[in-house]
Amino acid sequence: MRPELVARMVGGAILVLVAVLLVASGTYVVEPGYRGVEIILGRVSEAFKPEGFGLKLPLVSTIHPVSIRQQTVRETAECYSSDLQQIRVDLRILYRIPESAVVRLFRDYDGDPFGQLVAPRVHEALKEVVALQNAEQIVKNREQIKVRTLDLARSKIGELVVVEDLVIEDIKLTPELERAIEQKMVQEQEAAKARFVQQRAQIEANTAVIKARGEAESIRIRGEALKENPTYVDLQIVDRWDGQAPLVVGGGQILMSVSELWRFSGTNHARAQSLLPARSR
């Protein structure tokens, strides 16, 4: 093969390779959930690149992706309570980068603001909130501490990063302090139980007194009614009569009702009248 032909083939291959490299370096793709920051000869472009396919200047510009999705990072903060007790708080920080701050955060915080902006401000806010309460209050008021810390951290961070939420996973105290708080809580529960028993006994006693007073008042009213109207007893008997005549016990343990006794006595009286002489009638 002649040298001129070989040189032409090599030159053509080089041109094709260069063309491929130029085409490849002149395009970019931003994945979903990311925004692209364009750097042209060391200078950051003021506008971010949206997700999708695009063209850029070959060899002189690069596209750096920045995530705008919500991210979760676990942190451990060492704090001191108002009574100078050491407290360790395990928490999760949920944050995201807004589109409007993508370029600024990349330029000022190298694209990831968590280590330089989010974490320090959250730790600072948590320490300020914890320092206002003693250890026992911190254990009891976990949700309150979380809300106050979240509000304070947001005000410190500003609009550069959106702190979606804070999740306090655990609050760890020294073993001695944990035992002291546990004993105090047990004593408080026992005292609350004793107060409940005492209140229940007082309520039962008051109920008995009220019931006795009601019965006494009822007896007094009945007594006054009987005193003013002696027939009140007859009226009570009539009201309580079930319509059945009472039984009368006779000789030989014979049971008969009042109506039967009345009929029997009437029959005997009639027979006696028939046996008498006419003049004696």
Side-chain angles (χ1 to χ4, degrees), residues 174-216:
T174 60
E176 297 79 7
L177 184 59
E178 287 183 352
R179 286 194 295 269
I181 294 177
E182 183 179 357
Q183 292 176 359
K184 184 176 180 181
M185 293 178 67
V186 170
Q187 293 174 358
E188 290 178 352
Q189 292 176 357
E190 292 178 351
K193 182 179 179 181
R195 288 194 299 269
F196 173 76
V197 173
Q198 183 179 2
Q199 292 175 358
R200 185 176 65 180
Q202 185 65 36
I203 292 173
E204 292 176 354
N206 294 339
T207 303
V209 171
I210 294 172
K211 183 178 180 181
R213 288 177 179 174
E215 293 176 353

Side-chain angles (χ1 to χ4, degrees), residues 104-125:
R104 182 180 174 184
L105 288 174
F106 182 84
R107 182 175 56 240
D108 298 343
Y109 297 95
D110 196 21
D112 184 9
F114 182 82
Q116 303 178 46
L117 178 63
V118 178
R121 298 296 184 271
V122 171
H123 282 239
E124 181 181 353

Side-chain angles (χ1 to χ4, degrees), residues 9 49 132 146 162 164 203-204 217 229 238 240 262:
M9 292 178 61
K49 301 295 183 182
L132 298 177
K146 172 236 177 167
V162 178
E164 298 287 357
I203 292 173
E204 292 176 354
E217 183 67 15
N229 188 2
V238 172
R240 298 183 180 181
W262 180 260

Side-chain angles (χ1 to χ4, degrees), residues 80-277:
Y80 285 90
S81 62
S82 61
D83 51 354
L84 301 180
Q85 297 293 332
Q86 185 177 9
I87 298 175
R88 190 175 72 178
V89 181
D90 295 333
L91 70 159
R92 284 185 295 151
I93 305 173
L94 287 70
Y95 75 99
R96 63 178 177 85
I97 299 175
E99 283 187 345
S100 58
V102 167
V103 176
R104 182 180 174 184
L105 288 174
F106 182 84
R107 182 175 56 240
D108 298 343
Y109 297 95
D110 196 21
D112 184 9
F114 182 82
Q116 303 178 46
L117 178 63
V118 178
R121 298 296 184 271
V122 171
H123 282 239
E124 181 181 353
L126 181 61
K127 290 179 180 179
E128 292 180 9
V129 173
V130 168
L132 298 177
Q133 303 187 44
N134 59 42
E136 183 178 356
Q137 292 174 334
I138 292 171
V139 174
K140 292 181 179 180
N141 303 328
R142 175 180 298 191
E143 184 64 22
Q144 183 180 0
I145 292 174
K146 172 236 177 167
V147 172
R148 291 182 178 179
T149 302
L150 181 59
D151 293 339
L152 186 57
R154 285 172 174 171
S155 64
K156 291 178 178 293
I157 294 173
E159 299 180 354
L160 286 177
V161 179
V162 178
V163 181
E164 298 287 357
D165 198 7
L166 295 178
V167 180
I168 297 180
E169 295 182 333
D170 193 15
I171 296 178
K172 297 181 180 179
L173 310 175
T174 60
E176 297 79 7
L177 184 59
E178 287 183 352
R179 286 194 295 269
I181 294 177
E182 183 179 357
Q183 292 176 359
K184 184 176 180 181
M185 293 178 67
V186 170
Q187 293 174 358
E188 290 178 352
Q189 292 176 357
E190 292 178 351
K193 182 179 179 181
R195 288 194 299 269
F196 173 76
V197 173
Q198 183 179 2
Q199 292 175 358
R200 185 176 65 180
Q202 185 65 36
I203 292 173
E204 292 176 354
N206 294 339
T207 303
V209 171
I210 294 172
K211 183 178 180 181
R213 288 177 179 174
E215 293 176 353
E217 183 67 15
S218 177
I219 293 173
R220 184 185 67 78
I221 293 174
R222 289 199 299 268
E224 291 180 356
L226 181 61
K227 181 178 179 181
E228 295 176 357
N229 188 2
T231 61
Y232 176 74
V233 175
D234 298 335
L235 179 61
Q236 293 293 318
I237 293 175
V238 172
D239 289 339
R240 298 183 180 181
W241 184 45
D242 58 359
Q244 300 292 331
L247 298 178
V248 177
V249 180
Q253 298 297 325
I254 299 176
L255 298 178
M256 79 174 50
S257 64
V258 173
S259 59
E260 293 175 348
L261 181 63
W262 180 260
R263 289 196 301 271
F264 179 77
S265 60
T267 303
N268 291 339
H269 179 72
R271 290 179 179 177
Q273 290 291 330
S274 65
L275 294 176
L276 291 176

